[in-house]
Amino acid sequence: MASMPVRPDRPPPPCPSWVFSDKSDTHVAKDRWGRAEVIGMGTVDLATMSPRTQTDPGSPSTLRLKNVLHAPAALCNIIGKPVTEDYTVIRGTTDSDHPGFIVKNTNGNIVAYFKPKDQGPDLYQVQLGEPPLGHEFGISPLCPNGNYLIHAFFSQRERHRFVILKFSGLIRASGVEPFTPTEKKWFGKNRMSEKAIRVAYGLDPNRKEHQEECRAIMRILKCQAENEPILLPY
């Protein structure tokens, strides 16, 4: 069963692991980073740091990711292939002193470096400068000696549905209907309340779209806790 937050009145610490995966056709954020434009999708500005200045909080760079899916059930954050629309990803070889970096196409500036491979699993993880909203980072879900296949896919059917809803002005998360008596009983038994989730994820109780997102998140967490297949509501 998924563990509940010890302090439900505080936002959960954001996952610090942002992994580049050129096999992924979308970006994924485990937490609510940056400015959410619509339910389930938004723009993320990652504060990054180069190896030479990573201890200097006054020298951050910014890596902007567009159309990032918000998926609380994801293992970690994922930077997909769409990043190459605005940036060039340079990956170092296994015998190189530097694991690689990301360059902005418009001016050639390096905006992010990847972590040295000896600091974690054999993945291309972006070195971050600071967490969003001034919070401390959480613990990375990735084991240093673990083997991972990190992929994320946004199906053509869902993309098409999203485009139609976007232009019709009817974008909303699916699975946001009021809870059934059975669901209410389960949430009560597991001490999960809408109020606690709204506070944890920074949702406004007076906004209908935030109420809907809250219910969608709770249903994802319920599925995860029950070891059921995860159906993302986006």
mmCIF file of all heavy atoms in Angstrom, residues 179-211:
data_model
loop_
_atom_site.group_PDB
_atom_site.id
_atom_site.type_symbol
_atom_site.label_atom_id
_atom_site.label_comp_id
_atom_site.label_asym_id
_atom_site.label_seq_id
_atom_site.Cartn_x
_atom_site.Cartn_y
_atom_site.Cartn_z
ATOM 1 N N PHE A 179 -16.985 11.258 -5.912
ATOM 2 C CA PHE A 179 -16.627 9.931 -5.426
ATOM 3 C C PHE A 179 -17.869 9.103 -5.099
ATOM 4 O O PHE A 179 -18.883 9.620 -4.626
ATOM 5 C CB PHE A 179 -15.763 10.037 -4.172
ATOM 6 C CG PHE A 179 -14.401 10.632 -4.425
ATOM 7 C CD1 PHE A 179 -13.903 11.640 -3.621
ATOM 8 C CD2 PHE A 179 -13.611 10.173 -5.466
ATOM 9 C CE1 PHE A 179 -12.651 12.186 -3.848
ATOM 10 C CE2 PHE A 179 -12.362 10.707 -5.711
ATOM 11 C CZ PHE A 179 -11.878 11.719 -4.897
ATOM 12 N N THR A 180 -17.772 7.830 -5.362
ATOM 13 C CA THR A 180 -18.836 6.898 -5.009
ATOM 14 C C THR A 180 -18.758 6.591 -3.518
ATOM 15 O O THR A 180 -17.712 6.832 -2.879
ATOM 16 C CB THR A 180 -18.704 5.599 -5.809
ATOM 17 O OG1 THR A 180 -17.487 4.935 -5.400
ATOM 18 C CG2 THR A 180 -18.651 5.873 -7.311
ATOM 19 N N PRO A 181 -19.814 6.053 -2.914
ATOM 20 C CA PRO A 181 -19.754 5.672 -1.496
ATOM 21 C C PRO A 181 -18.615 4.699 -1.202
ATOM 22 O O PRO A 181 -17.976 4.790 -0.145
ATOM 23 C CB PRO A 181 -21.130 5.031 -1.263
ATOM 24 C CG PRO A 181 -22.027 5.709 -2.243
ATOM 25 C CD PRO A 181 -21.186 5.899 -3.474
ATOM 26 N N THR A 182 -18.354 3.785 -2.138
ATOM 27 C CA THR A 182 -17.265 2.828 -1.938
ATOM 28 C C THR A 182 -15.916 3.534 -1.899
ATOM 29 O O THR A 182 -15.057 3.224 -1.068
ATOM 30 C CB THR A 182 -17.258 1.779 -3.065
ATOM 31 O OG1 THR A 182 -18.509 1.081 -3.062
ATOM 32 C CG2 THR A 182 -16.116 0.784 -2.872
ATOM 33 N N GLU A 183 -15.732 4.502 -2.810
ATOM 34 C CA GLU A 183 -14.474 5.256 -2.821
ATOM 35 C C GLU A 183 -14.322 6.082 -1.551
ATOM 36 O O GLU A 183 -13.228 6.150 -0.967
ATOM 37 C CB GLU A 183 -14.428 6.165 -4.056
ATOM 38 C CG GLU A 183 -14.215 5.420 -5.364
ATOM 39 C CD GLU A 183 -14.267 6.342 -6.568
ATOM 40 O OE1 GLU A 183 -15.123 7.259 -6.578
ATOM 41 O OE2 GLU A 183 -13.465 6.145 -7.491
ATOM 42 N N LYS A 184 -15.398 6.724 -1.125
ATOM 43 C CA LYS A 184 -15.332 7.522 0.096
ATOM 44 C C LYS A 184 -14.934 6.656 1.293
ATOM 45 O O LYS A 184 -14.139 7.067 2.139
ATOM 46 C CB LYS A 184 -16.686 8.191 0.358
ATOM 47 C CG LYS A 184 -17.044 9.285 -0.631
ATOM 48 C CD LYS A 184 -18.389 9.897 -0.293
ATOM 49 C CE LYS A 184 -18.768 11.012 -1.265
ATOM 50 N NZ LYS A 184 -20.095 11.598 -0.953
ATOM 51 N N LYS A 185 -15.476 5.453 1.346
ATOM 52 C CA LYS A 185 -15.147 4.540 2.434
ATOM 53 C C LYS A 185 -13.674 4.170 2.396
ATOM 54 O O LYS A 185 -12.993 4.117 3.418
ATOM 55 C CB LYS A 185 -16.019 3.283 2.339
ATOM 56 C CG LYS A 185 -15.791 2.281 3.468
ATOM 57 C CD LYS A 185 -16.734 1.101 3.334
ATOM 58 C CE LYS A 185 -16.500 0.098 4.457
ATOM 59 N NZ LYS A 185 -17.429 -1.074 4.336
ATOM 60 N N TRP A 186 -13.138 3.918 1.162
ATOM 61 C CA TRP A 186 -11.732 3.538 1.024
ATOM 62 C C TRP A 186 -10.825 4.683 1.439
ATOM 63 O O TRP A 186 -9.852 4.490 2.168
ATOM 64 C CB TRP A 186 -11.437 3.144 -0.428
ATOM 65 C CG TRP A 186 -10.070 2.557 -0.615
ATOM 66 C CD1 TRP A 186 -9.738 1.241 -0.619
ATOM 67 C CD2 TRP A 186 -8.842 3.273 -0.821
ATOM 68 N NE1 TRP A 186 -8.385 1.077 -0.803
ATOM 69 C CE2 TRP A 186 -7.813 2.305 -0.935
ATOM 70 C CE3 TRP A 186 -8.516 4.620 -0.922
ATOM 71 C CZ2 TRP A 186 -6.480 2.657 -1.134
ATOM 72 C CZ3 TRP A 186 -7.189 4.974 -1.124
ATOM 73 C CH2 TRP A 186 -6.188 3.994 -1.234
ATOM 74 N N PHE A 187 -11.132 5.901 0.979
ATOM 75 C CA PHE A 187 -10.305 7.052 1.324
ATOM 76 C C PHE A 187 -10.331 7.325 2.826
ATOM 77 O O PHE A 187 -9.308 7.676 3.425
ATOM 78 C CB PHE A 187 -10.767 8.297 0.560
ATOM 79 C CG PHE A 187 -10.499 8.236 -0.916
ATOM 80 C CD1 PHE A 187 -11.494 8.517 -1.838
ATOM 81 C CD2 PHE A 187 -9.241 7.896 -1.393
ATOM 82 C CE1 PHE A 187 -11.245 8.466 -3.196
ATOM 83 C CE2 PHE A 187 -8.979 7.834 -2.765
ATOM 84 C CZ PHE A 187 -9.988 8.112 -3.657
ATOM 85 N N GLY A 188 -11.522 7.157 3.435
ATOM 86 C CA GLY A 188 -11.609 7.360 4.876
ATOM 87 C C GLY A 188 -10.795 6.338 5.643
ATOM 88 O O GLY A 188 -10.100 6.671 6.608
ATOM 89 N N LYS A 189 -10.870 5.084 5.206
ATOM 90 C CA LYS A 189 -10.116 4.022 5.863
ATOM 91 C C LYS A 189 -8.623 4.253 5.749
ATOM 92 O O LYS A 189 -7.856 3.937 6.676
ATOM 93 C CB LYS A 189 -10.495 2.669 5.240
ATOM 94 C CG LYS A 189 -9.767 1.480 5.847
ATOM 95 C CD LYS A 189 -10.199 0.187 5.172
ATOM 96 C CE LYS A 189 -9.458 -1.008 5.756
ATOM 97 N NZ LYS A 189 -9.858 -2.281 5.093
ATOM 98 N N ASN A 190 -8.176 4.811 4.622
ATOM 99 C CA ASN A 190 -6.757 5.034 4.396
ATOM 100 C C ASN A 190 -6.312 6.461 4.723
ATOM 101 O O ASN A 190 -5.208 6.872 4.366
ATOM 102 C CB ASN A 190 -6.409 4.708 2.937
ATOM 103 C CG ASN A 190 -6.482 3.226 2.650
ATOM 104 O OD1 ASN A 190 -5.523 2.505 2.857
ATOM 105 N ND2 ASN A 190 -7.640 2.773 2.176
ATOM 106 N N ARG A 191 -7.207 7.199 5.397
ATOM 107 C CA ARG A 191 -6.884 8.540 5.882
ATOM 108 C C ARG A 191 -6.397 9.466 4.775
ATOM 109 O O ARG A 191 -5.421 10.186 4.925
ATOM 110 C CB ARG A 191 -5.843 8.463 7.004
ATOM 111 C CG ARG A 191 -6.301 7.661 8.211
ATOM 112 C CD ARG A 191 -5.242 7.617 9.277
ATOM 113 N NE ARG A 191 -5.678 6.834 10.422
ATOM 114 C CZ ARG A 191 -4.940 6.616 11.517
ATOM 115 N NH1 ARG A 191 -3.723 7.133 11.583
ATOM 116 N NH2 ARG A 191 -5.413 5.897 12.512
ATOM 117 N N MET A 192 -7.086 9.431 3.664
ATOM 118 C CA MET A 192 -6.766 10.319 2.543
ATOM 119 C C MET A 192 -7.968 11.220 2.297
ATOM 120 O O MET A 192 -9.054 10.737 1.980
ATOM 121 C CB MET A 192 -6.459 9.516 1.276
ATOM 122 C CG MET A 192 -5.952 10.391 0.120
ATOM 123 S SD MET A 192 -5.863 9.500 -1.475
ATOM 124 C CE MET A 192 -4.720 8.190 -1.070
ATOM 125 N N SER A 193 -7.794 12.503 2.461
ATOM 126 C CA SER A 193 -8.898 13.444 2.302
ATOM 127 C C SER A 193 -8.633 14.405 1.159
ATOM 128 O O SER A 193 -7.483 14.656 0.781
ATOM 129 C CB SER A 193 -9.106 14.250 3.595
ATOM 130 O OG SER A 193 -8.024 15.134 3.811
ATOM 131 N N GLU A 194 -9.709 14.947 0.603
ATOM 132 C CA GLU A 194 -9.566 15.924 -0.476
ATOM 133 C C GLU A 194 -8.826 17.164 0.020
ATOM 134 O O GLU A 194 -8.008 17.741 -0.698
ATOM 135 C CB GLU A 194 -10.944 16.307 -1.022
ATOM 136 C CG GLU A 194 -11.638 15.197 -1.798
ATOM 137 C CD GLU A 194 -12.949 15.658 -2.411
ATOM 138 O OE1 GLU A 194 -12.909 16.474 -3.363
ATOM 139 O OE2 GLU A 194 -14.003 15.212 -1.939
ATOM 140 N N LYS A 195 -9.088 17.564 1.249
ATOM 141 C CA LYS A 195 -8.429 18.744 1.800
ATOM 142 C C LYS A 195 -6.924 18.549 1.870
ATOM 143 O O LYS A 195 -6.144 19.425 1.473
ATOM 144 C CB LYS A 195 -8.979 19.055 3.198
ATOM 145 C CG LYS A 195 -8.330 20.279 3.839
ATOM 146 C CD LYS A 195 -8.923 20.560 5.216
ATOM 147 C CE LYS A 195 -8.244 21.780 5.843
ATOM 148 N NZ LYS A 195 -8.810 22.062 7.193
ATOM 149 N N ALA A 196 -6.490 17.382 2.361
ATOM 150 C CA ALA A 196 -5.058 17.110 2.489
ATOM 151 C C ALA A 196 -4.377 17.085 1.124
ATOM 152 O O ALA A 196 -3.274 17.611 0.952
ATOM 153 C CB ALA A 196 -4.838 15.786 3.216
ATOM 154 N N ILE A 197 -5.026 16.477 0.121
ATOM 155 C CA ILE A 197 -4.444 16.402 -1.218
ATOM 156 C C ILE A 197 -4.385 17.778 -1.859
ATOM 157 O O ILE A 197 -3.394 18.137 -2.515
ATOM 158 C CB ILE A 197 -5.252 15.424 -2.101
ATOM 159 C CG1 ILE A 197 -5.152 14.005 -1.548
ATOM 160 C CG2 ILE A 197 -4.751 15.473 -3.535
ATOM 161 C CD1 ILE A 197 -3.738 13.453 -1.517
ATOM 162 N N ARG A 198 -5.434 18.589 -1.666
ATOM 163 C CA ARG A 198 -5.425 19.947 -2.224
ATOM 164 C C ARG A 198 -4.268 20.759 -1.654
ATOM 165 O O ARG A 198 -3.565 21.468 -2.377
ATOM 166 C CB ARG A 198 -6.758 20.653 -1.939
ATOM 167 C CG ARG A 198 -7.921 20.198 -2.805
ATOM 168 C CD ARG A 198 -9.052 21.223 -2.774
ATOM 169 N NE ARG A 198 -9.527 21.492 -1.414
ATOM 170 C CZ ARG A 198 -10.535 20.859 -0.838
ATOM 171 N NH1 ARG A 198 -11.178 19.924 -1.508
ATOM 172 N NH2 ARG A 198 -10.911 21.159 0.371
ATOM 173 N N VAL A 199 -4.060 20.650 -0.339
ATOM 174 C CA VAL A 199 -2.967 21.383 0.296
ATOM 175 C C VAL A 199 -1.620 20.864 -0.190
ATOM 176 O O VAL A 199 -0.710 21.628 -0.517
ATOM 177 C CB VAL A 199 -3.062 21.258 1.834
ATOM 178 C CG1 VAL A 199 -1.817 21.839 2.493
ATOM 179 C CG2 VAL A 199 -4.309 21.972 2.351
ATOM 180 N N ALA A 200 -1.493 19.533 -0.268
ATOM 181 C CA ALA A 200 -0.224 18.918 -0.664
ATOM 182 C C ALA A 200 0.181 19.299 -2.079
ATOM 183 O O ALA A 200 1.367 19.482 -2.364
ATOM 184 C CB ALA A 200 -0.318 17.397 -0.530
ATOM 185 N N TYR A 201 -0.808 19.431 -2.985
ATOM 186 C CA TYR A 201 -0.506 19.713 -4.384
ATOM 187 C C TYR A 201 -0.783 21.166 -4.776
ATOM 188 O O TYR A 201 -0.754 21.516 -5.945
ATOM 189 C CB TYR A 201 -1.283 18.769 -5.302
ATOM 190 C CG TYR A 201 -0.728 17.366 -5.305
ATOM 191 C CD1 TYR A 201 -1.143 16.418 -4.379
ATOM 192 C CD2 TYR A 201 0.248 16.988 -6.215
ATOM 193 C CE1 TYR A 201 -0.610 15.133 -4.361
ATOM 194 C CE2 TYR A 201 0.795 15.713 -6.213
ATOM 195 C CZ TYR A 201 0.350 14.798 -5.287
ATOM 196 O OH TYR A 201 0.880 13.529 -5.274
ATOM 197 N N GLY A 202 -1.039 22.013 -3.782
ATOM 198 C CA GLY A 202 -1.227 23.430 -4.069
ATOM 199 C C GLY A 202 -2.464 23.741 -4.883
ATOM 200 O O GLY A 202 -2.441 24.622 -5.740
ATOM 201 N N LEU A 203 -3.561 23.040 -4.636
ATOM 202 C CA LEU A 203 -4.796 23.225 -5.395
ATOM 203 C C LEU A 203 -5.750 24.158 -4.647
ATOM 204 O O LEU A 203 -5.866 24.091 -3.426
ATOM 205 C CB LEU A 203 -5.469 21.874 -5.641
ATOM 206 C CG LEU A 203 -4.636 20.835 -6.398
ATOM 207 C CD1 LEU A 203 -5.355 19.499 -6.428
ATOM 208 C CD2 LEU A 203 -4.342 21.316 -7.816
ATOM 209 N N ASP A 204 -6.433 25.007 -5.399
ATOM 210 C CA ASP A 204 -7.372 25.968 -4.835
ATOM 211 C C ASP A 204 -8.741 25.309 -4.679
ATOM 212 O O ASP A 204 -9.355 24.897 -5.672
ATOM 213 C CB ASP A 204 -7.476 27.183 -5.766
ATOM 214 C CG ASP A 204 -8.317 28.307 -5.168
ATOM 215 O OD1 ASP A 204 -9.082 28.053 -4.224
ATOM 216 O OD2 ASP A 204 -8.214 29.443 -5.672
ATOM 217 N N PRO A 205 -9.272 25.207 -3.441
ATOM 218 C CA PRO A 205 -10.570 24.545 -3.238
ATOM 219 C C PRO A 205 -11.733 25.287 -3.876
ATOM 220 O O PRO A 205 -12.820 24.725 -4.024
ATOM 221 C CB PRO A 205 -10.708 24.501 -1.711
ATOM 222 C CG PRO A 205 -9.874 25.647 -1.239
ATOM 223 C CD PRO A 205 -8.704 25.700 -2.185
ATOM 224 N N ASN A 206 -11.533 26.554 -4.248
ATOM 225 C CA ASN A 206 -12.614 27.343 -4.828
ATOM 226 C C ASN A 206 -12.659 27.280 -6.352
ATOM 227 O O ASN A 206 -13.558 27.846 -6.969
ATOM 228 C CB ASN A 206 -12.482 28.811 -4.393
ATOM 229 C CG ASN A 206 -12.600 28.967 -2.894
ATOM 230 O OD1 ASN A 206 -13.485 28.391 -2.269
ATOM 231 N ND2 ASN A 206 -11.701 29.746 -2.300
ATOM 232 N N ARG A 207 -11.664 26.607 -6.948
ATOM 233 C CA ARG A 207 -11.630 26.486 -8.410
ATOM 234 C C ARG A 207 -12.092 25.095 -8.828
ATOM 235 O O ARG A 207 -11.542 24.083 -8.378
ATOM 236 C CB ARG A 207 -10.225 26.772 -8.934
ATOM 237 C CG ARG A 207 -9.763 28.198 -8.716
ATOM 238 C CD ARG A 207 -8.356 28.426 -9.220
ATOM 239 N NE ARG A 207 -8.222 28.112 -10.644
ATOM 240 C CZ ARG A 207 -7.091 28.235 -11.316
ATOM 241 N NH1 ARG A 207 -5.991 28.642 -10.697
ATOM 242 N NH2 ARG A 207 -7.046 27.940 -12.613
ATOM 243 N N LYS A 208 -13.088 25.062 -9.704
ATOM 244 C CA LYS A 208 -13.671 23.784 -10.114
ATOM 245 C C LYS A 208 -12.642 22.867 -10.750
ATOM 246 O O LYS A 208 -12.609 21.661 -10.470
ATOM 247 C CB LYS A 208 -14.816 24.026 -11.094
ATOM 248 C CG LYS A 208 -15.508 22.738 -11.556
ATOM 249 C CD LYS A 208 -16.632 23.038 -12.523
ATOM 250 C CE LYS A 208 -17.294 21.755 -13.008
ATOM 251 N NZ LYS A 208 -18.367 22.027 -13.986
ATOM 252 N N GLU A 209 -11.751 23.426 -11.612
ATOM 253 C CA GLU A 209 -10.770 22.578 -12.281
ATOM 254 C C GLU A 209 -9.773 21.980 -11.290
ATOM 255 O O GLU A 209 -9.286 20.863 -11.484
ATOM 256 C CB GLU A 209 -10.030 23.359 -13.376
ATOM 257 C CG GLU A 209 -9.170 24.510 -12.880
ATOM 258 C CD GLU A 209 -9.930 25.823 -12.835
ATOM 259 O OE1 GLU A 209 -11.173 25.774 -12.722
ATOM 260 O OE2 GLU A 209 -9.283 26.878 -12.928
ATOM 261 N N HIS A 210 -9.491 22.695 -10.204
ATOM 262 C CA HIS A 210 -8.593 22.158 -9.181
ATOM 263 C C HIS A 210 -9.297 21.081 -8.353
ATOM 264 O O HIS A 210 -8.665 20.118 -7.906
ATOM 265 C CB HIS A 210 -8.088 23.281 -8.281
ATOM 266 C CG HIS A 210 -6.998 24.097 -8.903
ATOM 267 N ND1 HIS A 210 -6.136 24.892 -8.181
ATOM 268 C CD2 HIS A 210 -6.625 24.234 -10.207
ATOM 269 C CE1 HIS A 210 -5.275 25.474 -9.001
ATOM 270 N NE2 HIS A 210 -5.571 25.101 -10.238
ATOM 271 N N GLN A 211 -10.590 21.236 -8.130
ATOM 272 C CA GLN A 211 -11.353 20.194 -7.440
ATOM 273 C C GLN A 211 -11.326 18.906 -8.261
ATOM 274 O O GLN A 211 -11.173 17.810 -7.713
ATOM 275 C CB GLN A 211 -12.795 20.660 -7.228
ATOM 276 C CG GLN A 211 -12.945 21.874 -6.320
ATOM 277 C CD GLN A 211 -14.366 22.406 -6.314
ATOM 278 O OE1 GLN A 211 -15.282 21.788 -6.855
ATOM 279 N NE2 GLN A 211 -14.561 23.577 -5.714
#
